[in-house]
Amino acid sequence: MTEQKNVVVAVRCRPLNAREKTRGAQCLVAMDNQQTTLLQPPQDEAATHSGKSTGGARRQRTYNFDYSYWTAGDTADPRYASQETVFNDIGRAVLGHALSGYHCCVFAYGQTGSGKTHTMMGKDHGRDAGLIPRICQELFASIHRECQQSVSVSFRVEVSYLEIYNERVRDLLNPLSPENLRVREHPSLGPYVEDLTKAAVSSYTEMLAHMIQGNKARTVAATNMNATSSRSHAVFTIVVTRRTANLEADDQATERVSRISLVDLAGSERANATMATGVRLKEGARINQSLAALGKVISALADQEKKHKTGQPPVVSAQQRNFVPYRDSVLTWLLKDSLGGNSRTFMIATISPADYSETLSTLRYADRAKHI
């Protein structure tokens, strides 16, 4: 279904958390196959949040995505989407594209505390492992199978891990690196981070060690909505080089390079909900600023695609028609090739089952990304 799509959009709904259960919140989200439905909260609850009565029947908003993952119910529910289900749909597709020579990007978007880090990293590296450790483990299993099938094929794997904190890039694999690495743009290779550590790895165990090291160095803090809130965007990048030797000519070989970018975005947040002050408030403002820039890029790319499909006449100039504000933030600049190039991009929108306004905003965001 998603083999020929450059952008695949999935939505995942987490279970009610302890705070929501304590206040007696109701689940407002329903999922059926690819369809996600958001139900307007009861009249009294809506009036409490908005300050006015909604009146009339409760409104339903329905969206269709490539995948709708229901994780809000019991694990025995046949609709329940486990970590393994998400990996089988998205992770295996990423590996298939990467080993075929395509650049790939997976990023999770949603409000703070909606389950982004759980989806991408998981709680541990066993049954509840997230997409990133599962992709890494299966990558080396796929490499091992290919090398066994052909003696002329060999692979080289390199990893890097960075975080974008307050619009500053920090190397998570090198604690002695400068606090603000420079982002530059190569004329043919695109945006890159200068002096970023690239570690060569030969096994999943080595890659996992680098991943754990980077996770320990990430910036996290407690807010009113999330006890372990990520205060930065994290990008774990895997560069896979496939080398095929010509057995008839010892000095001849071909190389195919692909890049897998696995992005754990910090969550969007509202100051009145997180009760953030001081440093936490400034962090939240920076996070929202970069996510807003990402939204503008997605909207610009979706508008381009819509005009291309409908055959609308061009705007004033070619420069205006093709302008996409990638440089409005470090995040969008680094994701330039993933969003606008010929790469394979997977967006996972994580939503809360009880927060109507934030969930509606996330679903609209994801729906917009569908049109790229």
Side-chain angles (χ1 to χ4, degrees), residues 168-338:
R168 292 172 174 265
V169 178
R170 192 163 70 94
D171 189 346
L172 293 177
L173 298 184
N174 182 8
L176 300 179
S177 68
E179 286 294 315
N180 185 21
L181 298 178
R182 300 185 65 176
V183 180
R184 297 185 178 275
E185 186 155 8
H186 190 277
S188 58
L189 300 178
Y192 69 98
V193 178
E194 191 175 47
D195 298 327
L196 181 66
T197 301
K198 288 184 179 179
V201 292
S202 58
S203 67
Y204 170 64
T205 304
E206 291 181 13
M207 186 179 284
L208 182 61
H210 289 298
M211 193 187 309
I212 294 173
Q213 175 190 345
N215 288 338
K216 289 179 179 177
R218 279 198 70 180
T219 306
V220 297
T223 68
N224 195 45
M225 293 185 69
N226 189 356
T228 55
S229 174
S230 301
R231 312 310 293 166
S232 64
H233 309 303
V235 184
F236 187 79
T237 304
I238 308 168
V239 178
V240 183
T241 304
R242 185 182 192 273
R243 189 176 190 274
T244 305
N246 187 340
L247 298 180
E248 297 179 357
D250 294 338
D251 59 341
Q252 292 183 4
T254 58
E255 286 191 349
R256 188 168 64 194
V257 181
S258 56
R259 183 176 65 245
I260 306 174
S261 299
L262 303 166
V263 187
D264 180 17
L265 296 176
S268 60
E269 55 186 52
R270 296 182 179 180
N272 59 350
T274 59
M275 306 294 286
T277 57
V279 175
R280 300 286 90 85
L281 183 63
K282 292 179 181 178
E283 290 171 349
R286 287 287 194 174
I287 290 168
N288 290 341
Q289 180 183 355
S290 62
L291 293 176
L294 180 60
K296 289 180 182 178
V297 168
I298 288 175
S299 294
L301 292 170
D303 287 340
Q304 283 186 2
E305 184 66 15
K306 182 179 178 182
K307 290 176 181 177
H308 174 72
K309 287 182 176 180
T310 58
Q312 293 182 16
V315 290
V316 178
S317 68
Q319 183 179 6
Q320 288 179 332
R321 181 177 74 248
N322 296 324
F323 177 72
V324 179
Y326 290 114
R327 294 203 179 203
D328 281 5
S329 79
V330 174
L331 174 68
T332 51
W333 193 6
L334 286 177
L335 293 182
K336 177 182 176 182
D337 288 345
S338 299

Side-chain angles (χ1 to χ4, degrees), residues 12-29 38 41-42 45 49 70-73 110-115 224-227 268 273 350-360 362:
R12 192 181 194 189
C13 182
R14 66 157 172 80
L16 290 167
N17 59 30
R19 178 173 48 83
E20 291 163 342
K21 289 178 180 178
T22 300
R23 66 179 174 88
Q26 296 183 12
C27 181
L28 306 175
V29 178
L38 178 63
E45 187 176 341
H49 283 82
W70 177 254
T71 317
Q111 74 172 114
T112 181
S114 61
N224 195 45
M225 293 185 69
N226 189 356
S268 60
T350 57
I351 57 176
S352 161
D355 193 325
Y356 179 77
S357 59
E358 286 287 356
T359 296
L360 178 59
T362 301

Side-chain angles (χ1 to χ4, degrees), residues 4-7 97 101-105 259 326 336-345:
Q4 302 302 321
K5 297 188 68 173
N6 276 43
V7 178
H97 291 310
Y102 286 97
H103 291 333
C104 297
C105 176
R259 183 176 65 245
Y326 290 114
K336 177 182 176 182
D337 288 345
S338 299
L339 293 170
N342 191 32
S343 65
R344 300 293 188 258
T345 301

